[in-house]
Amino acid sequence: MLVRFWGTRGSIPVALTSADIRRKIEAALALAIAQGVDSPDKLRSFIANDLDFSLSQTYGGHSPCVQIETNRAGYLACDMGSGARAFGGRIMSSPQSGPVEVDVLMSHVHWDHIMGFPFFAPAYVPGARIRIFGCHDVLEKAFRLQQSAPCFPVDFSRLAANIEFVKLEAGKTVDIAGFRVTPKLQRHTGDSYGYRLERDGKAIVYSTDSEHKLEDPSETDAFVEFFRNADLVIFDAMYSLLEAVSVKEDWGHSSNMVGVELAQLAHVKHLCMFHHEPAFDDQRIQSVLNETIRFEQLTRGSQALMVSAAFDGMEIEV
Amino acid sequence: MDIKNKTYSNVLVLSPVGRIDHANSEDFRNGVAPFIDRCKTDGERIVLDLAGVDYISSAGLRCFMLAEKQARAQGGLVVVAAMQPVVKEIFEISRFTLVFETFATVREAIAKVSPAALKAYQA
């Protein structure tokens, strides 16, 4: 199973500025000079081995859209944030043996999770079939609303694809795109839903826009059960713990530390931090990742937990 | 949970022992609550002596936050002292160092929050 991240940022898309790129170049060249890089071979090795990710690359800035490769012709994704535009482009440029089929699991319908759909090319293709799954009663209404005048020039009714909305129920497992999919209610303004996807003895959990109240052990236990033995948990780690329990309490998001603790309790193999704070630059996200890896080391039990930070374009083989 | 307490003039030193985690964080919270009630303007200042604490989970840190928030609203002061290295790192990663003033030793903490209490502590 391959998981491909098309959008990993929370709340609103962001982009590197020219000043950001200049800073990266200056820092990278200063390091290269200090290390005596004076040939193309040394340069390639330097970039591959010595440069920090936050200097040599970027975490990206698209809002949530995560593709999970299926074992059949159709596509499966979680959320339709701004990353969905590039995802749609990839679909359209891939060879198709028949009409395009895309299934989408929606965590919720806040803007950052649906804003990519008006730019999702398959929605404009006659004969394409798109099924949008979610637990919210307002699922279809939200998608139509964002493409209503005066907000967008193309009304939802003019989309050429066959688009179907399918209501799911929390706790009720269904078969979607070859996966056993179980939604779970999460704490977020207007509610959000996480999804546990299982196939061939592997489990992936997509759990974004989810606040974890630490005073309720039964709630903690329920999430431990939801994450239990998962190979990969994609987790909303937008805030520091301090923010999550103080000034940003009840804002509907979680922290890196709570992610590690829940993953350790559930014996998860890989925790991927997701829904990055839009105010954070690459260096800050890298710093949070390094601290989280250290926290996992400090608190590790019998099983090591792999910790990563999602970036646009990242692929994880499960 | 075992929380020792000792008063030096207008400073109360609370010394929990063991882990403060998801299993016992509410015990910790209830244990310190009566002392936090007394931590107010012209009341006792509190030094949380963490020398005997070897681990604090996010649930435990949340209890620290609630105590600090209550004390501050009452005009009181809570500081943290004598953290073991692991707890110190957890504090830093959680960013709780932005809220709590921390000290290497209980003596340093008392000296900062109440020089008068330092005499009692050294006596």
Side-chain angles (χ1 to χ4, degrees), chain A residues 5 7-13 59-66 79 81 107-108 110-113 188 192 206-210 234-240 251-256 272-280 285 288 308-312:
Chain A
F5 294 82
T8 57
R9 191 70 63 151
S11 302
I12 189 168
Y59 285 93
H62 279 303
S63 68
C65 181
V66 178
D79 284 335
S107 65
H108 63 315
H110 282 168
W111 196 18
D112 52 324
H113 294 255
H188 193 70
S192 73
Y206 180 73
S207 178
T208 191
D209 295 65
S210 177
I234 300 163
F235 187 86
D236 170 0
M238 190 172 184
Y239 303 144
S240 68
W251 286 24
H253 298 284
S254 190
S255 68
N256 55 340
C272 183
M273 297 191 296
F274 186 73
H275 205 272
H276 304 306
E277 162 66 54
F280 286 2
I285 295 172
V288 171
S308 63
F311 59 88
D312 297 2

Side-chain angles (χ1 to χ4, degrees), chain A residues 213-215 217 220 240-243 245-246 249 255-258 261-262 264-265 284 287-288 291-292 294-295 298-299, chain B residues 22 25-26 29 55-62 65-66 69 85-87 89-99:
Chain A
K213 289 285 188 182
L214 304 170
E215 68 266 37
T220 299
S240 68
L241 180 67
L242 174 68
E243 290 172 323
V245 300
S246 58
E249 186 175 20
S255 68
N256 55 340
M257 288 177 63
V258 169
E261 290 178 348
L262 288 174
Q264 286 174 331
L265 287 168
R284 182 75 182 271
S287 168
V288 171
E291 289 176 343
T292 311
R294 177 60 183 156
F295 180 66
L298 289 171
T299 56
Chain B
H22 290 78
S25 62
E26 284 305 303
R29 188 182 170 194
Y55 174 73
I56 306 177
S57 76
S58 56
L61 285 168
R62 175 181 167 272
M65 172 58 64
L66 293 173
K69 195 174 170 183
V86 167
V87 172
E89 275 198 75
I90 291 173
F91 240 72
E92 288 164 355
I93 292 168
S94 70
R95 304 278 188 270
F96 269 56
T97 44
L98 298 175
V99 169

Side-chain angles (χ1 to χ4, degrees), chain A residues 259-260 263-264 268-271 296 300 303-307:
Chain A
V260 169
Q264 286 174 331
V268 169
K269 291 187 181 67
H270 184 167
L271 176 75
E296 188 279 331
R300 185 179 296 169
Q303 179 185 322
L305 168 69
M306 182 178 177
V307 179

Side-chain angles (χ1 to χ4, degrees), chain A residues 184-187 194 196 205 207 210-212 217-228 235 262 266 268:
Chain A
K184 185 183 187 322
L185 176 64
Q186 303 179 136
R187 188 183 295 274
R196 182 181 175 102
V205 176
S207 178
S210 177
E211 180 167 358
H212 297 273
S218 66
E219 188 178 307
T220 299
D221 292 345
F223 271 95
V224 169
E225 210 46 52
F226 189 53
F227 292 175
R228 178 77 67 198
F235 187 86
L262 288 174
V268 169

Side-chain angles (χ1 to χ4, degrees), chain B residues 21-32:
Chain B
D21 57 20
H22 290 78
N24 66 359
S25 62
E26 284 305 303
D27 289 344
F28 170 74
R29 188 182 170 194
N30 293 331
V32 301

Side-chain angles (χ1 to χ4, degrees), chain A:
Chain A
M1 271 192 266
L2 186 79
V3 178
R4 185 176 290 117
F5 294 82
W6 295 97
T8 57
R9 191 70 63 151
S11 302
I12 189 168
V14 295
L16 286 174
T17 65
S18 58
D20 292 331
I21 293 170
R22 187 185 176 92
R23 272 193 294 272
K24 282 175 187 268
I25 291 172
E26 283 181 0
L29 290 179
L31 279 171
I33 291 167
Q35 295 195 23
V37 174
D38 58 3
S39 71
D41 282 348
K42 284 182 182 177
L43 181 60
R44 276 189 287 275
S45 171
F46 169 74
I47 292 171
N49 303 314
D50 300 327
L51 270 189
D52 195 81
F53 179 92
S54 66
L55 278 181
S56 63
Q57 300 184 56
T58 180
Y59 285 93
H62 279 303
S63 68
C65 181
V66 178
Q67 177 192 359
I68 300 165
E69 284 202 342
T70 65
N71 59 357
R72 51 185 69 183
Y75 296 87
L76 175 65
C78 295
D79 284 335
M80 283 278 113
S82 68
R85 188 192 59 80
F87 173 42
R90 171 68 69 87
I91 292 172
M92 298 309 294
S93 63
S94 302
Q96 308 292 338
S97 56
V100 171
E101 290 192 8
V102 185
D103 289 333
V104 182
L105 301 171
M106 292 300 305
S107 65
H108 63 315
V109 293
H110 282 168
W111 196 18
D112 52 324
H113 294 255
I114 63 172
M115 60 169 44
F117 192 73
F119 302 91
F120 186 57
Y124 294 82
V125 177
R129 183 186 183 202
I130 300 172
R131 294 192 301 171
I132 301 175
F133 297 85
C135 300
H136 291 78
D137 291 331
V138 295
L139 188 62
E140 181 170 355
K141 181 183 175 187
F143 274 80
R144 289 185 177 277
L145 187 64
Q146 76 164 344
Q147 284 189 241
S148 301
C151 297
F152 198 74
V154 183
D155 191 81
F156 190 92
S157 62
R158 289 170 57 198
L159 297 176
N162 173 16
I163 302 171
E164 183 185 355
F165 291 88
V166 183
K167 180 93 187 308
L168 301 178
E169 286 179 40
K172 191 172 177 184
T173 302
V174 291
D175 292 324
I176 298 172
F179 290 88
R180 299 283 289 161
V181 177
T182 308
K184 185 183 187 322
L185 176 64
Q186 303 179 136
R187 188 183 295 274
H188 193 70
T189 306
D191 294 339
S192 73
Y193 293 84
Y195 294 95
R196 182 181 175 102
L197 301 95
E198 297 172 304
R199 193 187 78 199
D200 301 333
K202 301 276 187 179
I204 297 167
V205 176
Y206 180 73
S207 178
T208 191
D209 295 65
S210 177
E211 180 167 358
H212 297 273
K213 289 285 188 182
L214 304 170
E215 68 266 37
D216 183 356
S218 66
E219 188 178 307
T220 299
D221 292 345
F223 271 95
V224 169
E225 210 46 52
F226 189 53
F227 292 175
R228 178 77 67 198
N229 296 324
D231 296 276
L232 173 67
V233 172
I234 300 163
F235 187 86
D236 170 0
M238 190 172 184
Y239 303 144
S240 68
L241 180 67
L242 174 68
E243 290 172 323
V245 300
S246 58
V247 292
K248 294 179 180 175
E249 186 175 20
D250 297 326
W251 286 24
H253 298 284
S254 190
S255 68
N256 55 340
M257 288 177 63
V258 169
V260 169
E261 290 178 348
L262 288 174
Q264 286 174 331
L265 287 168
H267 300 292
V268 169
K269 291 187 181 67
H270 184 167
L271 176 75
C272 183
M273 297 191 296
F274 186 73
H275 205 272
H276 304 306
E277 162 66 54
F280 286 2
D281 62 13
D282 288 323
Q283 209 167 7
R284 182 75 182 271
I285 295 172
Q286 181 75 50
S287 168
V288 171
L289 172 61
N290 293 342
E291 289 176 343
T292 311
I293 289 169
R294 177 60 183 156
F295 180 66
E296 188 279 331
Q297 291 168 345
L298 289 171
T299 56
R300 185 179 296 169
S302 56
Q303 179 185 322
L305 168 69
M306 182 178 177
V307 179
S308 63
F311 59 88
D312 297 2
M314 183 187 201
E315 294 182 346
I316 296 177
E317 182 69 48
V318 176

